[in-house]
Amino acid sequence: MYFAALLARTEDGWEASDTELDDVETLSDLADLAREASPEEDTVLVLIEQEDSWFGVVRVDGEEDPRIYVSDAAAAVRSAYGELLLTDELLGREPGADDGPDLDSLDLDGTEDGESEETEDGEESPDTDAVPHSPVGDREILADLGIGEKELRALDANDALGTIAEVLGASEVLETVR
């Protein structure tokens, strides 16, 4: 279960709208969706939480590249929505680099040790060992809005979006779309 909302800053304050991410396939798609929420090219925040295990914030300011913060990369990598946010750049990888195991070091004779782990639906499970069990991204993403790095890192996934909205003065508008 996930929750996603857009918070767009306007002259009159914050406006919230819930959003479905089912049709969003890339970070670029998500940034475009956020830009559509603010015709004046004001700040738009995409707030995402996944079953109280992690949360993410994507900030889009006009045509600038989106800024991203994810509270727990290892938890997020298990989610399609988290994978959307966890770019190679965000994880400190070379873009397009394959961080998978070295094929020369694997025993690929068909035994269990050489086989990849699969989920129940037959897909390979993500390699969470390569992803840190910690926050990743722009820790100053909300600093100019009243939430510094220390406060952001201290947020608990259970109530992070509510706390962020409260500091922004947008808790009532966020609750209307929850």
Side-chain angles (χ1 to χ4, degrees):
M1 186 77 159
Y2 79 96
F3 171 75
L6 298 173
L7 281 180
R9 186 165 50 181
T10 68
E11 291 178 7
D12 301 325
W14 292 93
E15 290 182 8
S17 57
D18 63 340
T19 187
E20 282 292 322
L21 299 180
D22 294 340
D23 295 332
V24 176
E25 296 180 5
T26 65
L27 182 59
S28 180
D29 292 344
L30 185 62
D32 290 343
L33 182 70
R35 287 184 185 104
E36 289 172 13
S38 178
E40 299 297 320
E41 295 190 3
D42 289 322
T43 298
V44 178
L45 301 176
V46 181
L47 304 174
I48 303 171
E49 70 180 3
Q50 179 81 34
E51 297 180 7
D52 297 330
S53 63
W54 66 274
F55 71 92
V57 178
V58 178
R59 180 175 178 162
V60 178
D61 293 302
E63 291 300 316
E64 292 181 25
D65 288 341
R67 296 165 56 193
I68 306 164
Y69 176 83
V70 176
S71 67
D72 183 340
V77 77
R78 295 184 199 103
S79 159
Y81 305 112
E83 286 183 340
L84 181 73
L85 305 180
L86 296 173
T87 63
D88 286 337
E89 182 181 334
L90 194 68
L91 294 172
R93 299 177 184 161
E94 285 294 318
D98 180 15
D99 281 44
D102 178 10
L103 293 180
D104 294 332
S105 67
L106 292 177
D107 177 12
L108 298 176
D109 64 359
T111 62
E112 287 183 20
D113 291 337
E115 295 174 352
S116 64
E117 290 184 43
E118 291 187 0
T119 60
E120 288 181 20
D121 59 3
E123 293 183 23
E124 287 191 18
S125 60
D127 180 13
T128 58
D129 293 337
V131 179
H133 289 276
S134 62
V136 294
D138 185 348
R139 291 178 173 98
E140 295 291 323
I141 193 168
L142 301 173
D144 65 324
L145 300 173
I147 302 172
E149 175 183 356
K150 190 174 185 179
E151 293 85 4
L152 188 61
R153 291 183 58 121
L155 292 176
D156 182 72
N158 291 336
D159 62 351
L161 300 190
T163 302
I164 291 169
E166 187 176 313
V167 171
L168 298 177
S171 56
E172 286 183 25
V173 293
L174 183 64
E175 283 305 312
T176 63
V177 298
R178 218 182 241 279

